Amino acid sequence: MPRPVVILAEDDADVRETVAALLEQEGYRVVPCPNAFTALRAFFTEPRVDVLLLDWVLPDIEGRDLIRLLHSQRELAELPVVLTTGLDLEMPSFEGAVCLLRKPFSAPELLRILHALTHHGHGEPPSTSCCQVA
């Protein structure tokens, strides 16, 4: 079984490197991206993406706008997006994401969510109720 692929869009280099190292250690293949443009480009170069781990505030586009853009593409309409933020926001239905993680989030919580989204049975859709607002 191929390793699950996670695009990690996070502009904070320390957070991006720490999360990428954690996920790689846990068996994920991570495509780290410092901004939304790089993340968009990754969707054109990666043959398969299982999850987008997306910071709400990026230097070039807000998370909700990137989600809308990706979900408008038929082949990405069902892409699970885990939204992260350090801001205290009220977001109805997570702005198109399946989950909202408040920073700082714990490694076990992130891994639980990604596992729920990427390790589902063959033929079953990934769980979209894997996360609660923290």
Side-chain angles (χ1 to χ4, degrees), residues 51-62:
V51 177
L52 170 60
L53 184 57
L54 174 63
D55 186 14
W56 171 256
V57 179
L58 292 171
D60 51 352
I61 190 171
E62 281 193 348

Side-chain angles (χ1 to χ4, degrees), residues 89-91 94 100 102 131-134:
L89 300 173
E90 290 295 321
M91 289 184 273
F94 310 136
L100 174 67
R102 302 269 186 210
C131 184
Q132 312 248 351
V133 174

Side-chain angles (χ1 to χ4, degrees), residues 39-51:
L40 275 174
R41 193 169 56 218
F43 280 98
F44 291 105
T45 59
E46 290 298 318
R48 186 187 96 248
V49 175
D50 296 292
V51 177

